[in-house]
Amino acid sequence: MTHLALPLYSWDNGAFIMIGVFALVIFGLIGIIMMMMNSKNKKD
């Protein structure tokens, strides 16, 4: 049987851009959650 050396991940396909977009989405979600937690609107 031949040994196939296929890389599981390649950095050539814009991985840095994908990581940056993922980080922006996470920071956006955290920011929205923090804004919702700090809102002072109370039901009467």
Side-chain angles (χ1 to χ4, degrees):
M1 179 182 280
T2 60
H3 177 67
L4 297 176
L6 295 174
L8 295 176
Y9 195 77
S10 175
W11 289 100
D12 295 334
N13 60 352
F16 294 108
I17 296 172
M18 290 188 284
I19 290 171
V21 170
F22 182 72
L24 288 175
V25 169
I26 295 299
F27 286 134
L29 289 173
I30 291 172
I32 290 170
I33 291 171
M34 295 301 279
M35 284 173 33
M36 289 172 66
M37 286 173 58
N38 292 330
S39 65
K40 300 294 182 183
N41 295 336
K42 294 183 179 178
K43 294 182 180 178
D44 290 337

